[in-house]
Amino acid sequence: MIKVGIIGVSGYAGVELLRLLLNHDDVEIVSIGARSYQGQPISEMYPSFYGICDMICESDDDVLKKADMIFASLPHGLSEKYAKYCNDHQKKFIDLGADFRLDKEQDYQEWYNLDYNEKELHHKQVYGLCEVNRDKIKEATIIGNPGCYPTSITLGLYPLLKEGMNKNNHFIIDSKSGTTGAGKSLSEDTHFPRCNESFHPYKLATHRHTPEIEQELSKMAHDDIHVTFVPHLLPVNRGIVSTIYVDLKDDIQFSDIIKIYHDYYDQEYFIRVLKTGKVADLKFVKYSNFCDISLHYDKRYHKLIIVSTIDNMVKGAAGQAIQNMNIMYDIEETKGLKMVSPSF
């Protein structure tokens, strides 16, 4: 059994980890931590756990000492010290925050206004996009779990970029997310009277996921990729829809695109390339670890339109983190993650 601990269990991604791990046959959850709720049972914060999991929230130190596999679901700037402890004590560490996603400290300084305090650790980090970096993840001890928007976008573009089918290196990306993507902290935008019956873009050209998106797409393309990334807030709890616009090379046919996507993804359990004419819809990925991708062709301008949908709390956070853990421990990758989205 894998002895697992969760630091930051009181947040949305942390409690989603707990919900999913309770169904994992190879996991024993030995400790959960929530600094603001230390000494309180998780079932008082989230009554859905009442009678199922009444574990008491302990200190972060307790979690670190008791567990061999540590998940940290914390705001940026807080995870390095926990990763250092795990590194020094031969424990595995998966960070659901932003501290181990960016390769360059300069990008972290620019977009998050912080420095790396444990610089040597960042030479060991692996970006945990499972379907792309599986071989590296197998050998990793520190994982930077991808952001939710980057997951939907990079999986949507991966086959196309690897095969060099894009005409230019600038993409327009229009993404919409449910309100859980903003986390549990209160804000004006996610206050119910403000977001209900509303729909609007936010952080236009300034969202912190931008450098992560460009970093990973550039690796896939072996060239510098630039994006105009515009996120929007949907008045729903969870789900992401990313619509991506790509100019195709003149000699590329739509049938070539369809074949390549099926070649890359037909053996990937969690990625579903939809039949031509179908449109990916967040309703059918909610509460699941699936990424649904639909491909559309604008023949007037020889442009590909990619729609990629995920549940931001599962494939975009807790589910992908567990998928990473499964790969790290060389167990069935789908363990604990085979749930199907409700149909209505």
Side-chain angles (χ1 to χ4, degrees):
M1 296 287 281
I2 305 168
K3 293 183 177 181
V4 166
I6 304 170
I7 295 174
V9 74
S10 61
Y12 289 148
V15 78
E16 190 77 347
L17 268 171
L18 179 62
R19 180 180 76 88
L20 296 173
L21 286 169
L22 286 171
N23 295 301
H24 198 301
D25 293 338
D26 292 333
V27 162
E28 178 188 0
I29 304 169
V30 295
S31 183
I32 57 175
R35 189 175 303 172
S36 300
Y37 299 93
Q38 191 172 331
Q40 297 182 38
I42 188 69
S43 54
E44 284 193 7
M45 285 177 277
Y46 294 98
S48 58
F49 290 99
Y50 180 70
I52 305 298
C53 178
D54 296 304
M55 292 181 70
I56 303 297
C57 294
E58 302 183 288
S59 70
D60 296 345
D61 287 343
D62 287 332
V63 179
L64 290 169
K65 290 173 183 176
K66 292 181 180 181
D68 296 322
M69 169 76 252
I70 310 293
F71 294 95
S73 181
L74 300 166
H76 62 272
L78 299 179
S79 292
E80 280 184 306
K81 62 181 180 180
Y82 301 116
K84 185 177 190 311
Y85 179 93
C86 291
N87 183 67
D88 292 346
H89 292 82
Q90 291 76 53
K91 298 172 184 277
K92 298 181 189 293
F93 183 78
I94 297 179
D95 183 26
L96 278 75
D99 292 356
F100 292 95
R101 293 174 183 164
L102 296 176
D103 296 337
K104 298 177 182 177
E105 184 178 9
Q106 180 181 349
D107 288 337
Y108 190 67
Q109 291 167 333
E110 178 181 351
W111 291 86
Y112 291 90
N113 299 314
L114 291 172
D115 299 322
Y116 287 158
N117 295 316
E118 304 290 344
K119 299 182 191 299
E120 70 282 356
L121 290 181
H122 295 275
H123 297 296
K124 296 186 175 185
Q125 70 189 40
V126 170
Y127 188 75
L129 190 64
C130 299
E131 288 77 11
V132 175
N133 294 330
R134 187 175 284 114
D135 290 342
K136 293 180 180 179
I137 294 166
K138 287 179 181 179
E139 306 300 323
T141 56
I142 299 174
I143 295 286
N145 206 57
C148 52
Y149 282 127
T151 296
S152 67
I153 292 162
T154 53
L155 291 177
L157 280 165
Y158 177 53
L160 178 131
L161 289 178
K162 287 294 289 184
E163 296 298 323
M165 293 177 158
N166 49 302
K167 187 174 186 177
N168 56 52
N169 288 358
H170 181 264
F171 304 139
I172 294 173
I173 303 170
D174 182 346
S175 294
K176 295 94 173 171
S177 175
T179 58
T180 50
K184 193 176 177 182
S185 299
L186 297 176
S187 70
E188 180 67 25
D189 274 354
T190 56
H191 188 46
F192 180 79
R194 172 68 176 85
C195 68
N196 185 47
E197 298 294 334
S198 173
F199 175 60
H200 64 276
Y202 68 100
K203 295 183 181 178
L204 286 79
T206 62
H207 195 282
R208 283 172 167 164
H209 283 172
T210 302
E212 182 183 344
I213 294 165
E214 292 186 336
Q215 169 186 284
E216 295 307 312
L217 295 181
S218 296
K219 289 178 186 176
M220 294 171 179
H222 300 289
D223 201 356
D224 289 336
I225 298 295
H226 307 283
V227 301
T228 298
F229 172 52
V230 182
H232 299 68
L233 187 67
L234 285 171
V236 299
N237 286 345
R238 53 170 74 209
I240 282 180
V241 178
S242 290
T243 307
I244 307 162
Y245 305 89
V246 182
D247 291 318
L248 297 172
K249 287 181 177 177
D250 293 342
D251 60 340
I252 298 297
Q253 303 297 315
F254 186 44
S255 57
D256 300 329
I257 299 286
I258 294 170
K259 181 181 184 303
I260 287 298
Y261 272 75
H262 282 287
D263 288 346
Y264 272 72
Y265 285 149
D266 278 357
Q267 300 306 311
E268 295 290 350
Y269 182 85
F270 291 119
I271 302 184
R272 304 186 295 196
V273 179
L274 304 188
K275 294 179 180 179
T276 304
K278 298 293 185 181
V279 181
D281 186 326
L282 67 81
K283 178 181 283 293
F284 304 115
V285 296
K286 284 170 61 176
Y287 301 100
S288 82
N289 200 52
F290 289 106
C291 172
D292 282 1
I293 296 171
S294 61
L295 305 168
H296 313 271
Y297 180 56
D298 183 344
K299 63 181 181 181
R300 293 188 303 158
Y301 302 111
H302 196 49
K303 190 183 293 286
L304 180 68
I305 303 170
I306 304 166
V307 182
S308 178
T309 64
I310 62 170
D311 184 315
N312 58 302
M313 287 287 100
V314 187
K315 186 61 170 170
Q320 183 153 233
I322 294 169
Q323 190 179 351
N324 272 301
M325 178 195 72
N326 290 341
I327 295 170
M328 294 168 83
Y329 282 91
D330 195 28
I331 60 179
E332 173 56 45
E333 197 167 320
T334 60
K335 264 288 182 69
L337 295 171
K338 283 193 172 183
M339 69 291 281
V340 174
S341 178
S343 297
F344 50 86

